[in-house]
Amino acid sequence: MSIPGPGGQGLQLTPFRGLRYVAERVGSLAAVTSPPYDVVVRPEGLRELETADPYNIVRLILPQAGTPEARHRQAAETLRRWQADGVLAPDPEPALYVYEQRDGPTLQRGLIGALRLSPREEGIVLPHEEVMPHIVEDRADLMRATAAHLEPLLLAYRGNGNGTSANGTSGNGTSGNGAAGPGTGGAAQVIERTILREPLLSTTTEDGVDHHLWRVTNPADLVEVSTDLRHHQALIADGHHRWATYLRLREERREPGPWDFGLVLLVDTTRYPLRVRAIHRLLRRLSPDEALPAVRSAFRVRTIDGPLPRALETLAEAAEAARAEPGAPNAFLLAGDGRFHLLDRPDPELLARTVPDGRPEAWRTLDATVLHHTLLDHLWNVSDTPEYIGYLHDPTAAVEQAERLGGTAVLMHPVREDVVHELARQGIAMPHKSTSFGPKPATGLVLRSLTLG
């Protein structure tokens, strides 16, 4: 995605002094990492991470205490103590960081740096989802207390089409081994040169993903990256709430400074395409016995065979079939009573009454749009607050928690990536938690303190 029109500043990714774990002070680098804060399954996953190592990063991103104020104060005190004890230490000079993830055949590489913040109207960083104010407020309080960016956002941009994608296919006659061809230049070439060196750190997390990090400090390399990126814009793939938090905290400060930048991982998706997955809903206080009768007059409802992987395949087949037929292309999978229930073929008249007008058809027919406006608001009368709805990336966890709580898991089918990009370019925000792009960066490999030079 290139910046339209002349004079666009584009992406401005700057070096910073990374704050990193000192390997000798922790059990292992893998044991102190975590998924992003909103992917951690609570309470089981949180407890598992806390016991993996006393210095696990989850104690900073999801501190546990009786009140929000106490949680944020505890995180700030923990961060200060870990730095004073030499558990975390800053790198000697500012750098960009090349970050690589390998998960079987999937390869992703990108650049971690401090990105100059820009509002939506500048068209440099494009959000595609709405945010929930209470989450932004919580993240803002945490960032104020710690004066740190504890985990990078994931941003996607479209490079110049040079090099090799993560599945080994070459877009410009390269060899297919990930090496850029002669004359590629820019950020892609800097990354390919950098990974030939010994990594700064390497670790394999419990999920089997290999992680490698390199520093980029050479002035010529930094200029090459900067010159390339200023011609591009990026899509927020993961981290809308943290981006909104960055912007809020910048507005609070009148003088230029470190709060004008936010910690990001920037990935060229022409070379390393991202995966798009769904985020599922856990309706904590609505049982399937209550949910199903309320939708039978508005959707076709069928009980289908499990286990869960097979049921998800049936959901995918129904969603694809719906897109090929006239009518609304919506399908959902309900669980929580030991069975799986497929909802599809919604009543067009009901959708016309409940889904807001004045937005593109691509937005009005999104599963998340229909879920929130037709199912949650109209048929189920469920308030979109943490007391009533949880958002989980893992369908297994969603089903298990629904069965334990006596609630309902609503399992979703992923949105097509081209729909996400098209709506973002139009400035149309999808409902919050509509997509999950990945692979997501591991939290804990590199932090950004706003008090360092």
Side-chain angles (χ1 to χ4, degrees), residues 364-425:
R364 300 187 77 250
T365 57
L366 286 169
D367 284 342
T369 299
V370 172
L371 171 64
H372 283 264
H373 290 280
T374 303
L375 286 166
L376 296 177
D377 291 349
H378 182 76
L379 295 176
W380 289 334
N381 193 28
V382 173
S383 175
D384 191 3
T385 63
E387 181 181 0
Y388 292 97
I389 301 182
Y391 294 85
L392 289 90
H393 293 70
D394 182 1
T396 301
V399 173
E400 290 176 350
Q401 291 199 28
E403 291 178 346
R404 186 176 67 251
L405 296 172
T408 298
V410 182
L411 307 182
M412 313 278 284
H413 185 63
V415 182
R416 298 196 317 275
E417 185 176 358
D418 62 315
V419 173
V420 178
H421 284 279
E422 180 56 34
L423 289 174
R425 282 191 290 268

Side-chain angles (χ1 to χ4, degrees), residues 227-409:
T227 302
D228 180 14
L229 293 181
R230 71 185 182 191
H231 300 293
H232 296 284
Q233 62 185 173
L235 178 78
I236 300 177
D238 184 69
H240 283 80
H241 290 90
R242 281 167 283 165
W243 181 259
T245 302
Y246 289 167
L247 294 177
R248 174 183 291 191
L249 296 180
R250 185 192 64 169
E251 291 172 0
E252 295 176 357
R253 288 157 175 81
R254 297 181 179 180
E255 298 298 323
W259 296 90
D260 294 335
F261 299 82
L263 183 64
V264 305
L265 167 63
L266 196 59
V267 174
D268 177 357
T269 56
T270 60
R271 298 170 64 82
Y272 305 106
L274 298 178
R275 298 189 301 251
V276 186
R277 293 178 174 168
I279 301 177
H280 312 288
R281 274 61 171 168
L282 171 65
L283 310 184
R284 307 182 195 276
R285 299 191 177 186
L286 184 74
S287 70
D289 287 344
E290 298 169 302
L292 290 167
V295 299
R296 291 192 186 278
S297 62
F299 285 78
R300 181 174 69 169
V301 181
R302 293 174 286 161
T303 300
I304 62 172
D305 294 332
L308 179 57
R310 175 57 192 148
L312 289 171
E313 289 177 5
T314 304
L315 172 63
E317 292 164 1
E320 293 303 323
R323 289 179 184 139
E325 298 175 359
N330 305 116
F332 308 94
L333 190 65
L334 269 57
D337 59 355
R339 297 176 294 174
F340 299 100
H341 310 276
L342 181 66
L343 278 59
D344 63 358
R345 298 186 182 179
D347 177 4
E349 293 185 2
L350 177 63
L351 297 184
R353 294 199 311 270
T354 56
V355 175
D357 289 324
R359 299 206 184 184
E361 185 69 9
W363 182 89
R364 300 187 77 250
T365 57
L366 286 169
D367 284 342
T369 299
V370 172
L371 171 64
H372 283 264
H373 290 280
T374 303
L375 286 166
L376 296 177
D377 291 349
H378 182 76
L379 295 176
W380 289 334
N381 193 28
V382 173
S383 175
D384 191 3
T385 63
E387 181 181 0
Y388 292 97
I389 301 182
Y391 294 85
L392 289 90
H393 293 70
D394 182 1
T396 301
V399 173
E400 290 176 350
Q401 291 199 28
E403 291 178 346
R404 186 176 67 251
L405 296 172
T408 298

Side-chain angles (χ1 to χ4, degrees), residues 213-235:
L213 198 72
W214 293 262
R215 264 197 302 256
V216 179
T217 57
N218 181 283
D221 288 341
L222 297 175
V223 168
E224 190 170 349
V225 169
S226 175
T227 302
D228 180 14
L229 293 181
R230 71 185 182 191
H231 300 293
H232 296 284
Q233 62 185 173
L235 178 78

Side-chain angles (χ1 to χ4, degrees), residues 148-161:
H149 295 158
L150 303 173
E151 47 189 336
L153 282 68
L154 176 61
L155 301 187
Y157 78 104
R158 300 282 178 84
N160 299 321

